Amino acid sequence: MNFPQNPNPNFTFLSDENFISPFMDNFDFTNLMFEVDEGGNNGLVQEENSPPTSIVSSETLTCDSSGSGSAVMTLSKKDSTGIKDAETKEPPSHRVAFRTRSKMDVMDDGYKWRKYGKKSVKNNINKRNYYKCSSEGCMVKKRIERDGKDAAYVITTYEGVHNHEIPSHVYYSDMVSSYDHNNWNQHSLLQSIQHISPPS
DNA sequence: CGCCTTTGACCAGCGC
DNA sequence: GCGCTGGTCAAAGGCG
């Protein structure tokens, strides 16, 4: 089986040994959803009653002491051919979505994002926020919305692949030094994504 | 001054 | 064809 490509292939931040989050107790990894290539739906898993195409074991996903969380990988209509196409053509064709339980709306992943829209969506009293990568020429987008059924959960969807280095290695150092719990949690989240979809 | 968010308008896709 | 919905644009204003 081919794992979908990491939306942030240039992620080169700290390794496991150097990065252990002690704060996962207030940042639960509930669902991790991958959609490779353009799919019919938006790649979001509709709770537990809609079984995904395939499920990655939670051991693969969870970070160290966390233990709470289930990972879900959904492959849409095209299989390996879609992946190949996506790698040879322009993005955005990679889409990664995950649902987390977090008090914070925005996942700070080290990239710089610029908000360009905000919309009310159907079946969700909460607004959906649209972000673009601020780097010039980078077309990666992400959507962030609160789960309509449980506002404690945040659904984040990345679309596309960054074509540049992560701009904030220094920033991560700052995060560590400032001991920002929330950012630590987010960092752990993204580290988990790397676990489930190694850049190969 | 540059970059960001906000927000209403606009556009495209889809179902009926 | 029409209406609904989601996604994007762009002007205006705020902030450092």
Side-chain angles (χ1 to χ4, degrees), chain A residues 124-154:
Chain A
N124 194 342
I125 59 173
N126 302 298
K127 304 267 187 173
R128 175 182 291 170
N129 296 301
Y130 299 89
Y131 296 86
K132 277 180 183 172
C133 183
S134 292
S135 293
E136 194 172 354
C138 183
M139 299 300 292
V140 178
K141 297 168 191 172
K142 82 174 174 183
R143 293 193 295 260
I144 296 177
E145 63 189 300
R146 290 250 165 220
D147 193 319
K149 294 175 184 174
D150 188 345
Y153 292 89
V154 178

Side-chain angles (χ1 to χ4, degrees), chain A residues 6-13 106-114 131-136 138-142 158 160-169 171-172 175 186 190 194:
Chain A
N6 192 312
N8 302 323
N10 298 316
F11 250 101
T12 55
F13 53 76
V106 181
M107 303 297 166
D108 194 337
D109 49 15
Y111 288 91
K112 234 182 149 185
W113 300 96
R114 192 163 73 90
Y131 296 86
K132 277 180 183 172
C133 183
S134 292
S135 293
E136 194 172 354
C138 183
M139 299 300 292
V140 178
K141 297 168 191 172
K142 82 174 174 183
Y158 288 90
V161 179
H162 292 283
N163 59 4
H164 57 92
E165 294 289 334
I166 182 168
S168 52
H169 287 117
Y171 174 63
Y172 277 113
M175 282 166 49
Q186 292 160 8
L190 285 150
Q194 279 214 309

Side-chain angles (χ1 to χ4, degrees), chain A residues 38 41 48 68 71 75 77 88 94 107 112 126 163 169:
Chain A
E38 292 297 326
N41 55 44
E48 292 77 9
S68 70
L75 298 177
K77 53 189 179 189
T88 54
H94 287 94
M107 303 297 166
K112 234 182 149 185
N126 302 298
N163 59 4
H169 287 117

Side-chain angles (χ1 to χ4, degrees), chain A residues 5 11-12 20-21 53 60 67 69 74-75 85 93 99 105 107 121 123 131 138 147-148 152 183 193:
Chain A
Q5 189 179 17
F11 250 101
T12 55
I20 299 173
S21 169
T53 304
T60 307
T74 303
L75 298 177
D85 289 346
S93 56
R99 194 180 75 151
D105 290 336
M107 303 297 166
V121 293
N123 299 325
Y131 296 86
C138 183
D147 193 319
N183 282 339
I193 294 172

